[in-house]
Amino acid sequence: MRPNDHDETDAALRRRRLTGAATQLGTEVSINLGSSLAGLVIPIVGSFVVVAMRQLVMVVAVLPFYRPKRAELSWRRLWPAVLLGVVLAVMNLSFYESVHLIGLGIAATIEFLGPLALALVMSRRVLDVVCALAAGAGVVLLIGPGSSDASAIDPWGVALALTAAASWAAYIVLTRRVAVGLPGLEGLTVASLVSLVLLLPFAIATFDPSAIDWRVAALLVGVGVLSSALPYSLDTFILRRITPRLYAIITSFGPVIAAVFGWLVLSETFTLTEMIAIAVVSGAAGTAIATQRERPKSDLEQTAEGMA
C-alpha cells in the first residue's frame, strides 16, 4: 500500500468513526428523551399502556421488513427471540415503573449496573474490580443518606430498577445469540411481537379511554419512536462505523444524559451527593470499558472497514 493510500484510508476511518460516534450519542439523547416523556405520561395512563405502545410502534417499524417462512417457524430456531421478547417486556415495564417511583436520573443509574456487571464479570483485572466497587459505592450514595430525601426513596422502585438492570444484562446476552442465529431483523421482530402480546392484555385491562387526548396520544407515539424505533433502527448503522467498545463507552454516559432530561423535562432535582454518585457510576463504567485492550488491526482489515 502506498503512503498516500494509507493516509486516505485512515482519514476515511476517522470520518466513519466520527459519524458513528455522533449518531450513537444522538441515540442516547433520543432514548433518554423518550424515557422522560414516559415519565410525564405514566401517571396518566399507567406503565402497561406506555410500554405496550412503545412495543407497538416498534412492531410497526420492523414488521414490514420481516417475511417469515412457515418451515422456519420452529421452537428450536426461534426460542432465543421468544425469550428476548419476554426480557424486553420485563425490562421496559420494570424500568418505566421505577422511573415513576424514584425518578429518571436514579432509575437510569441503577439500571446501568446490569451491562456494567456483564462487562466486568469475566474480567480478572484489579482495575475492573476497583471500577465495580466504585460503581456500587456510587449507587449507595445515590439512594442512601445524602440523597435529596433518602427516606422518601421507594424501596420497590429501587427493586424494579435492579430488575431492569438484570434484564438489560440478559437482553445483551440474548441479542448476541439472536444476531448470530437469525438473519436481518427477524429476531428483533419476533421479540417485539412476543413482548407486545405479553403486555397487551394488561394494557387493555388498565386502559382508561377518558384519559386519552391528542397530547397524551402524541406523547405515547413519541415514547415509541424516540425510545425504540429510532435508536434500534440506527444500531446497525452505528456498529458498522465504530467498535463495540466505543459504543459501550458512549452508552456509559447514559445515566448523566438521563439525569439532564430528568431535570429538564420532569423537574427532578439532585443534591451535590447525587450528582457525584451519577458521575461516579458513569465514570467507573467508562474507565472499565475504555481500558480494555483490543487486538491491533492489520492494514488489510483497516482497508476493508474503510470500504464497508
Side-chain angles (χ1 to χ4, degrees):
M1 180 182 290
R2 293 175 298 178
N4 287 342
D5 292 340
H6 195 281
D7 290 343
E8 290 176 3
T9 300
D10 285 345
L13 286 173
R14 284 195 295 270
R15 286 195 297 271
R16 287 170 59 80
R17 291 192 187 106
L18 180 61
T19 301
T23 306
Q24 167 65 1
L25 185 60
T27 62
E28 286 299 313
V29 171
S30 177
I31 289 169
N32 286 291
L33 175 57
S35 294
S36 66
L37 296 182
L40 291 176
V41 76
I42 284 172
I44 301 173
V45 299
S47 297
F48 282 111
V49 173
V50 174
V51 180
M53 186 62 183
R54 172 177 169 172
Q55 291 306 122
L56 178 61
V57 171
M58 188 65 198
V59 167
V60 170
V62 299
L63 196 58
F65 303 98
Y66 178 46
R67 295 291 183 270
K69 298 178 182 178
R70 186 170 182 178
E72 296 177 346
L73 298 178
S74 65
W75 173 253
R76 173 179 287 186
R77 184 171 178 272
L78 295 179
W79 74 262
V82 173
L83 188 55
L84 179 61
V86 176
V87 168
L88 268 174
V90 174
M91 179 177 70
N92 291 329
L93 185 62
S94 58
F95 176 67
Y96 280 160
E97 189 62 22
S98 70
V99 168
H100 177 54
L101 294 174
I102 61 177
L104 176 58
I106 296 176
T109 304
I110 295 174
E111 187 195 32
F112 198 75
L113 292 180
L116 175 59
L118 185 64
L120 299 179
V121 70
M122 298 302 293
S123 176
R124 292 177 173 81
R125 298 189 311 165
V126 174
L127 177 59
D128 288 339
V129 174
V130 172
C131 289
L133 292 174
V139 171
V140 170
L141 279 176
L142 193 63
I143 63 177
S147 61
S148 55
D149 188 356
S151 62
I153 292 180
D154 192 320
W156 178 237
V158 174
L160 286 169
L162 290 171
T163 301
S167 299
W168 193 359
Y171 168 83
I172 294 170
V173 173
L174 287 168
T175 298
R176 289 173 181 168
R177 177 69 181 264
V178 167
V180 171
L182 300 172
L185 293 174
E186 182 177 1
L188 180 59
T189 304
V190 171
S192 297
L193 284 168
V194 169
S195 179
L196 180 60
V197 168
L198 289 174
L199 292 165
L200 205 54
F202 298 97
I204 293 172
T206 58
F207 179 66
D208 179 9
S210 65
I212 302 295
D213 57 25
W214 69 267
R215 289 168 296 185
V216 172
L219 284 172
L220 288 170
V221 173
V223 171
V225 172
L226 293 170
S227 295
S228 289
L230 183 61
Y232 287 168
S233 64
L234 288 173
D235 271 352
T236 302
F237 173 86
I238 293 166
L239 288 169
R240 285 176 179 167
R241 285 159 176 78
I242 64 176
T243 63
R245 186 180 74 165
L246 181 54
Y247 182 97
I249 291 170
I250 295 172
T251 302
S252 70
F253 292 102
V256 175
I257 298 172
V260 170
F261 279 112
W263 171 63
L264 288 175
V265 178
L266 301 175
S267 301
E268 295 177 3
T269 57
F270 303 94
T271 65
L272 178 60
T273 300
E274 289 173 328
M275 289 188 287
I276 292 172
I278 293 171
V280 165
V281 174
S282 294
T287 299
I289 297 166
T291 55
Q292 299 289 335
R293 293 182 179 179
E294 288 184 349
R295 178 180 63 84
K297 294 182 180 178
S298 65
D299 289 345
L300 181 60
E301 289 175 311
Q302 293 185 28
T303 302
E305 284 188 357
M307 296 172 62

